[in-house]
Amino acid sequence: MTRLRQGSGGQALLEITGLTAFYGDFQALFGIDFRVEAGETVAIIGSNGAGKTTFLRSITGMIANDRDSIRWDGAPIGDLPANRIVAQGIAMVPEGRRLFPSLTVEENLRIGAYARSGEWTVERVIDLFPFIAERRRAPATALSGGQQQMVAIGRALMSNPRLLLCDEISLGLAPTIIKSIYDALPRICEGGTTLLIVEQDIRQAMQMSDRVYCLQEGRVTLEGRPADLTHDQIREAYFGM
Ligand code: ATP
């Protein structure tokens, strides 16, 4: 999926340096260095508790960070709150989808649009996930898990992100549904959106990404292009064996 578009002077779209994160006294991330170029699809792999969700929550302003630890298009954003991060063009599809149960499918989508206007509209989301046309007035809770995941992706797209973070979008879904969701991702990239995907399924992560990072116990243990990484390197980085 690579369509790298280097910023001026080779500047990364997102550059993270020495990122730490704490829950009270518990340290979950230990000095993460990470970068994403515009147009890349980057996957993060790692076992349960490795710190993947904490990392995404740090990027999206849900966990406070040092101002300079996260740079977006060259500007420090580490201390911005979540609402200002979305307005900058960074959106997240959270683990577990988190649709608003009392709202319809279309209302859920439109909530995503408050932060930033742009090319993504309800009609364009329907073009990506056609089943929504028939279900747009249904309560979000009436949908299957896979359909809810598609609406959660659509809701994030409605904020017209330049960078879309996806947290385990295949979790708990049947293989055919996972395939239709992953088949939609290249079309999202074609619209100019850069993707950062957290995925526990190593094979899936390798197939769909330009570059992979592996986290283990809050540290980056491996980074590289899938074709350059061996099974042994991945096993050691993932499981510490
Ligand atoms: P999973 O695949 O299970 O979602 P993960 O790689 O996303 O795992 P995180 O959820 O980021 O990992 O968790 C990293 C560490 O931080 C774990 O040890 C976890 O127990 C801890 N942790 C996560 N959320 C909290 C919280 N709200 N309070 C305290 N500790 C937390």
Side-chain angles (χ1 to χ4, degrees):
M1 286 192 206
T2 320
R3 288 160 312 290
L4 294 181
R5 288 187 298 280
Q6 298 269 344
S8 52
Q11 175 181 284
L13 181 65
L14 180 73
E15 177 138 37
I16 293 175
T17 317
L19 182 73
T20 56
F22 294 84
Y23 295 104
D25 291 338
F26 177 77
Q27 185 163 3
L29 299 180
F30 297 82
I32 304 272
D33 293 335
F34 185 95
R35 63 188 273 140
V36 181
E37 310 286 348
E40 269 191 308
T41 293
V42 173
I44 302 175
I45 58 174
S47 56
N48 285 336
K52 306 179 298 297
T53 297
T54 303
F55 182 61
L56 296 192
R57 288 168 56 85
S58 299
I59 296 171
T60 54
M62 290 189 277
I63 295 178
N65 309 288
D66 292 337
R67 179 174 162 77
D68 285 319
S69 58
I70 305 178
R71 299 186 87 83
W72 172 246
D73 242 353
I77 60 160
D79 59 347
L80 295 186
N83 61 328
R84 292 193 50 200
I85 295 286
V86 182
Q88 295 270 331
I90 302 177
M92 173 146 110
V93 184
E95 187 177 353
R97 309 183 270 272
R98 312 238 173 121
L99 296 182
F100 296 98
S102 59
L103 301 183
T104 65
V105 168
E106 181 165 345
E107 287 165 343
N108 266 282
L109 290 176
R110 290 196 184 281
I111 274 188
Y114 79 93
R116 264 165 71 92
S117 55
E119 290 180 2
W120 282 99
T121 59
V122 170
E123 299 314 318
R124 192 157 160 211
V125 171
I126 288 174
D127 193 42
L128 188 66
F129 298 122
F131 87 91
I132 292 177
E134 302 279 309
R135 308 304 309 274
R136 58 200 288 172
R137 287 180 188 82
T141 46
L143 303 183
S144 69
Q147 290 174 331
Q148 288 189 26
Q149 188 60 271
M150 293 176 198
V151 174
I153 293 169
R155 180 180 60 184
L157 289 172
M158 290 285 289
S159 72
N160 287 284
R162 292 175 64 199
L163 176 66
L164 181 66
L165 314 180
C166 296
D167 195 357
E168 304 208 26
I169 50 178
S170 63
L171 201 66
L173 301 178
T176 52
I177 307 294
I178 295 171
K179 183 174 181 319
S180 48
I181 289 175
Y182 271 97
D183 283 352
L185 296 186
R187 291 184 60 199
I188 294 172
C189 298
E190 279 160 22
T193 304
T194 301
L195 286 179
L196 177 49
I197 306 272
V198 163
E199 179 53 74
Q200 280 213 14
D201 181 336
I202 298 175
R203 187 177 306 180
Q204 183 78 264
M206 295 291 161
Q207 271 174 11
M208 50 79 62
S209 65
D210 300 310
R211 242 164 7 93
V212 179
Y213 284 83
C214 185
L215 293 188
Q216 190 192 119
E217 295 182 355
R219 292 178 171 85
V220 173
T221 49
L222 187 68
E223 180 272 320
R225 296 185 175 272
D228 298 336
L229 304 175
T230 66
H231 287 299
D232 284 349
Q233 281 176 316
I234 294 163
R235 193 166 52 238
E236 187 179 334
Y238 194 99
F239 298 108
M241 296 159 77

